[in-house]
Amino acid sequence: MSKIISIVNQKGGVGKTTTTINLGASLAYYNQKVLIIDYDQQANATIGLGINREDILFDVTDFFTHIGFLRKAIIKTKIKNLDLIASSIKLANIEESLYMIPDKEQLLKRKLDMIKDEYDFILIDCPPSLGLIVDNALYASDSVLIPVECGFYAYDALTQMINKIDKIQASKDIEIEGILLTKLDNKNTLGYDIVEKVKFLFPEKIFHTIITRSSHLQEAPMHGKSVLDFSFNSRGAKEYRMLAEEILNNNKIPILKELKI
């Protein structure tokens, strides 16, 4: 099985990149072959996986626009079973050039169709927007994972994201893999209010796993590591392993023996 999941929310700072890196590392830990696509011009997923931007020869823009650069853009990371297509500032200039292309929403899908069978999971770390770049990610994906910070403004953005997916579903089969509540502060009652509100409105779509605030999750990308590699027994590492297990179970994929970290 090969599954493409976009990690998407038009609001920034809700944990998209943190989730992409650590979910990818957790799936790889359970012996799944994973490709992460850094689809944000800020290249945070690239940096967070310890890749020096100056060392990148071909990035997601080259992958997106040039047939000959497909596999040249794929980088082996330090994590076994985890590959990366890196990003750069070049991605910022691509959107305007796409509007005159026929079937412009299908460009990324056509590229991923050529390589998707080489992976069990492809995770797309989307930018905080609802533009054509994100449309390409959604049309290329089998499902979406929506991180939602346990705060009021992030909750408001969730309803906009659901409406966006509903429109895409009119022309393409795409499911909501799940809504992931992130950055829950155990000391803040507002966070728990948001949890209950989201559970009430989307009871069938919310993950059981909740990602709480963690210093280890903040520190790990500064060292170019996933939280599993940085602090395997930390709360953040355990929560992302639980999320990976939940996704594998939901997709009826056997949880294979984990790798040694």
Side-chain angles (χ1 to χ4, degrees):
M1 182 200 113
S2 175
K3 189 162 197 181
I4 303 174
I5 304 175
S6 280
I7 289 82
V8 61
N9 190 323
Q10 77 273 24
K11 188 179 185 305
V14 298
K16 289 188 296 292
T17 299
T18 298
T19 294
T20 304
I21 291 173
N22 294 304
L23 174 58
S26 296
L27 290 168
Y29 172 74
Y30 288 118
N31 274 305
Q32 301 296 304
K33 180 69 174 173
V34 181
L35 172 66
I36 286 177
I37 299 178
D38 188 349
Y39 206 43
D40 190 337
Q41 68 191 52
Q42 298 177 80
N44 288 335
T46 300
I47 299 166
L49 283 167
I51 306 298
N52 190 331
R53 282 181 291 187
E54 282 68 36
D55 295 336
I56 298 168
L57 297 178
F58 304 103
D59 62 20
V60 69
T61 304
D62 302 308
F63 177 85
F64 195 66
T65 57
H66 298 88
I67 294 176
F69 291 151
L70 275 176
R71 283 173 178 78
K72 290 181 180 180
I74 298 174
I75 299 170
K76 298 287 183 184
T77 72
K78 297 176 183 177
I79 301 171
K80 185 177 180 180
N81 286 333
L82 182 62
D83 294 345
L84 169 73
I85 296 179
S87 186
S88 76
I89 194 64
K90 289 192 293 184
L91 189 61
N93 302 319
I94 192 175
E95 188 156 346
E96 289 184 10
S97 65
L98 300 179
Y99 279 98
M100 301 302 295
I101 298 176
D103 297 325
K104 53 186 175 293
E105 298 91 355
Q106 304 285 340
L107 294 175
L108 182 61
K109 180 183 184 303
R110 289 200 288 268
K111 298 301 175 68
L112 290 181
D113 282 346
M114 299 179 192
I115 64 167
K116 67 180 183 181
D117 290 339
E118 299 171 23
Y119 295 93
D120 298 304
F121 287 92
I122 297 176
L123 306 180
I124 307 176
D125 182 24
C126 293
S129 72
L130 291 176
L132 183 56
I133 289 292
V134 172
D135 283 350
N136 264 267
L138 295 176
Y139 275 97
S141 297
D142 301 301
S143 65
V144 295
L145 188 159
I146 310 173
V148 178
E149 183 183 1
C150 293
F152 173 75
Y153 293 111
Y155 166 77
D156 183 59
L158 171 61
T159 56
Q160 298 178 47
M161 194 69 245
I162 296 292
N163 289 337
K164 175 76 169 180
I165 294 164
D166 286 343
K167 292 179 181 177
I168 298 290
Q169 286 175 329
S171 56
K172 176 194 189 311
D173 288 333
I174 185 170
E175 63 178 346
I176 296 178
E177 191 72 31
I179 297 167
L180 178 67
L181 292 162
T182 65
K183 299 186 178 182
L184 177 64
D185 185 348
N186 291 325
K187 300 177 182 178
N188 188 342
T189 57
L190 173 62
Y192 288 99
D193 290 341
I194 296 298
V195 169
E196 293 306 314
K197 195 169 186 178
V198 174
K199 283 183 177 180
F200 177 77
L201 290 175
F202 306 102
E204 303 300 322
K205 294 182 171 66
I206 193 166
F207 285 112
H208 296 296
T209 304
I210 296 176
I211 308 300
T212 55
R213 287 192 180 273
S214 163
S215 60
H216 293 103
L217 288 174
Q218 293 177 311
E219 292 174 36
M222 297 172 61
H223 298 271
K225 295 181 177 181
S226 76
V227 72
L228 275 71
D229 296 290
F230 179 67
S231 181
F232 183 80
N233 292 315
S234 66
R235 182 174 58 190
K238 291 176 181 177
E239 288 168 351
Y240 273 107
R241 291 199 299 277
M242 288 170 57
L243 176 63
E245 292 174 11
E246 191 171 346
I247 288 174
L248 292 171
N249 285 326
N250 290 346
N251 286 278
K252 297 179 173 56
I253 300 171
I255 297 178
L256 302 176
K257 185 178 179 180
E258 64 273 11
L259 298 172
K260 290 184 179 179
I261 296 294

